[in-house]
Amino acid sequence: MNMKRKFFLSAKAYLFLAPFLIFFILVIAYPVVLGGYLSFFGQRGARMWYVGGGNYLSVLTDPNFWSGFDIPIFLLLVQVPLMLFISIFIALLYEQIKHSQVYRLIFYLPYAIPGIIAGIVWSYIFSKSMSPFIPLLSFFGIHNVNFLNPSTLIWILLIIILWEWTGYTALIIYSTLLSIPREYAEAAKIDGANNMQIAFYIKIPLLMNTVLILFIFNAIGALQVFNEPWMLGALVTLPPNYTPAMYIYNEAFYYGDFTYAITMGLVLAGVIFAISFFFLRTASKQLQIHE
């Protein structure tokens, strides 16, 4: 009877998991396995032939692929830490101000806006002919300003991505702050600590696990950046390998070399895994030392 009950409970659990498992297998697992298989083939149109590890060797020696990492690495080293710093500051402010739910909604809205709509809005803001900043700059005698050009685009991307993700990240950090027992802050206040000291010496250290996870997830997003430069590409001429994801897309859908694009995607996934594993391992050791 006990075995039957265990079997029934297991079957019931798998029945509830079935929709997710089916979706995961069909949409994620199967395409990855099929992509791994196709990466061992060359392609010209409908004709395919076996090349073994030739595609991987080509990717590893392709300067166009590796030069596209300049933008993702910049976002990883600048945008992600800056966003986490601002998000922690905003989350701490949520605790101190009245009606914080209104501000949480306002800061969260950019994340809720579809990426295509956000791209259209920012394209309008930085347009050379329609930007709302043009009349203001003209008032100060500044004319013919070109906001979007290859030299300034990286900073425009920084602004857009910060606008999109900071409010969402701050909300996640604020949720973690709410889980910190109030007794810690109350005990520190009894000992004479002010709000700034409580934030730096109690709350922020307790946020480190959450910040680590957010850093890794945002690092993965930075290395895969595609939507923002792709949408702005309608206003400024960008090289096809501006980011690795754009190079993969162009190789597949403009040049029709799908198997090479698949191989680049798998190599990119390997790079992301290696970087994420490095940061996770390093940060975990640091957290263990502090504990």
Side-chain angles (χ1 to χ4, degrees):
M1 183 67 179
N2 190 32
M3 291 296 294
K4 287 184 178 181
R5 180 173 176 79
K6 288 178 63 177
F7 175 80
F8 174 77
L9 292 175
S10 298
K12 187 177 180 180
Y14 280 109
L15 184 63
F16 279 104
L17 285 172
F20 167 77
L21 291 175
I22 293 171
F23 180 84
F24 178 82
I25 292 171
L26 293 178
V27 178
I28 298 178
Y30 174 71
V32 170
V33 173
L34 180 61
Y37 170 74
L38 292 175
S39 67
F40 293 102
F41 290 84
Q43 180 191 15
R44 285 295 179 271
R47 188 170 68 91
M48 298 180 66
W49 63 95
Y50 181 76
V51 295
N55 283 334
Y56 290 95
L57 181 61
S58 297
V59 172
L60 294 176
T61 57
D62 186 349
N64 291 325
F65 177 72
W66 297 107
S67 63
F69 278 88
D70 292 345
I71 301 301
I73 293 298
F74 170 81
L75 294 176
L76 173 62
L77 298 179
V78 177
Q79 178 263 321
V80 175
L82 180 61
M83 183 189 66
L84 290 173
F85 175 79
I86 297 173
S87 298
I88 292 173
F89 177 75
I90 293 173
L92 291 170
L93 283 181
Y94 285 159
E95 286 194 316
Q96 304 298 324
I97 59 178
K98 295 181 179 180
H99 309 295
S100 67
Q101 63 270 21
V102 176
Y103 297 99
R104 294 200 300 269
L105 175 62
I106 293 172
F107 278 89
Y108 180 79
L109 281 177
Y111 175 77
I113 296 174
I116 298 299
I117 304 300
I120 294 173
V121 171
W122 283 101
S123 297
Y124 165 74
I125 290 174
F126 292 112
S127 170
K128 187 177 180 179
S129 59
M130 299 182 295
S131 173
F133 296 122
I134 291 177
L136 179 63
L137 294 173
S138 298
F139 178 78
F140 290 101
I142 303 173
H143 304 283
N144 299 321
V145 177
N146 184 12
F147 296 103
L148 286 174
N149 59 71
S151 62
T152 62
L153 185 60
I154 189 170
W155 302 105
I156 301 297
L157 287 175
L158 178 64
I159 293 171
I160 294 174
I161 296 174
L162 285 174
W163 174 82
E164 284 181 317
W165 290 95
T166 301
Y168 169 79
T169 307
L171 192 62
I172 299 296
I173 294 174
Y174 176 69
S175 301
T176 305
L177 282 174
L178 293 178
S179 67
I180 298 175
R182 292 185 178 181
E183 289 80 3
Y184 295 168
E186 291 171 356
K189 285 184 178 180
I190 293 173
D191 291 335
N194 56 37
N195 290 333
M196 186 72 71
Q197 291 170 326
I198 292 171
F200 274 96
Y201 295 107
I202 297 177
K203 294 181 179 180
I204 291 178
L206 292 173
L207 290 174
M208 284 302 102
N209 285 330
T210 300
V211 171
L212 171 61
I213 298 300
L214 288 171
F215 178 86
I216 291 173
F217 284 159
N218 283 281
I220 292 171
L223 293 170
Q224 297 181 101
V225 63
F226 175 82
N227 290 337
E228 293 80 8
W230 181 258
M231 289 182 291
L232 294 176
L235 299 176
V236 59
T237 302
L238 297 177
N241 64 326
Y242 189 71
T243 69
M246 287 180 64
Y247 189 40
I248 292 169
Y249 180 90
N250 288 320
E251 196 69 25
F253 295 102
Y254 278 95
Y255 303 113
D257 197 348
F258 287 94
T259 56
Y260 188 65
I262 288 170
T263 308
M264 285 194 291
L266 293 174
V267 172
L268 176 60
V271 171
I272 291 172
F273 173 80
I275 293 176
S276 301
F277 181 79
F278 170 77
F279 280 114
L280 182 61
R281 190 73 178 270
T282 304
S284 298
K285 288 182 179 178
Q286 292 297 324
L287 290 173
Q288 287 175 3
I289 291 173
H290 289 300
E291 289 177 358

